[in-house]
Amino acid sequence: MIPQPATTTPATEAIGGNAGTDPTQFAQKGHQHPRLTSTTYATLDSSGQATVTFSRTFVNKPGLNLTETDATTATQPLVLRGLAWIRDGNGLYTGVTIQGQRAQMLPTINPLSGTIALLSGLITGVNAVFAQLTGYNIFGGNASGATVSVIAIARSDVSAS
């Protein structure tokens, strides 16, 4: 029997691969395996958030890789996280809402100067330092306008289809 070309979409990748089971069919020239990833870009809004639509859907919650792009050396680092998954009516994962929080420098605290003769003066100075740092949000910098690469990857511990 002469092998015939397969007419079905190739299967997604498998852990360890798979040689196949049908010796009567072969892959045709130009066949393509389904994409396992979605790579998109987003720009954070004034609240430091963006909603991203994936370029494909995922049956299971995908892995996420969030990276700031086009950063300058003058900006502080950006911490990124996924806030909420977006799912369609069939329960497929179609996107994610992300948030970026920019680090910021600690406030300038004037050092105590001169000779501190009394212990109470030292305590007052230390209390002033604590007052400036109490409740300080180190990630309260402005993340608006930051561009983020959003990569969603199908999980390898469950079927991708």
Side-chain angles (χ1 to χ4, degrees):
M1 179 172 217
I2 299 174
Q4 299 297 309
T7 58
T8 58
T9 301
T12 58
E13 71 178 15
I15 298 171
N18 187 339
T21 58
D22 190 348
T24 65
Q25 292 190 326
F26 61 88
Q28 298 182 62
K29 177 182 177 182
H31 81 279
Q32 292 179 303
H33 292 264
R35 184 165 185 87
L36 296 178
T37 62
S38 165
T39 302
T40 55
Y41 282 84
T43 301
L44 301 181
D45 64 16
S46 60
S47 68
Q49 295 184 10
T51 299
V52 178
T53 301
F54 299 143
S55 60
R56 59 151 290 190
T57 59
F58 295 90
V59 173
N60 298 292
K61 186 188 304 183
L64 270 181
N65 184 347
L66 307 172
T67 308
E68 181 180 18
T69 60
D70 306 320
T72 65
T73 57
T75 58
Q76 294 295 315
L78 186 67
V79 174
L80 295 157
R81 61 185 180 168
L83 291 180
W85 294 103
I86 301 167
R87 298 174 82 173
D88 68 10
N90 296 319
L92 298 175
Y93 292 85
T94 60
V96 66
T97 299
I98 63 171
Q99 178 185 36
Q101 295 177 296
R102 176 91 52 207
Q104 63 180 346
M105 301 296 286
L106 289 171
T108 301
I109 299 172
N110 295 324
L112 300 174
S113 61
T115 305
I116 300 175
L118 300 173
L119 183 57
S120 64
L122 177 60
I123 292 172
T124 301
V126 170
N127 284 340
V129 170
F130 287 142
Q132 286 184 322
L133 295 179
T134 300
Y136 185 80
N137 180 2
I138 195 163
F139 293 108
N142 184 4
S144 176
T147 56
V148 179
S149 168
V150 180
I151 301 173
I153 305 168
R155 291 172 41 181
S156 59
D157 62 337
V158 292
S159 173
S161 57

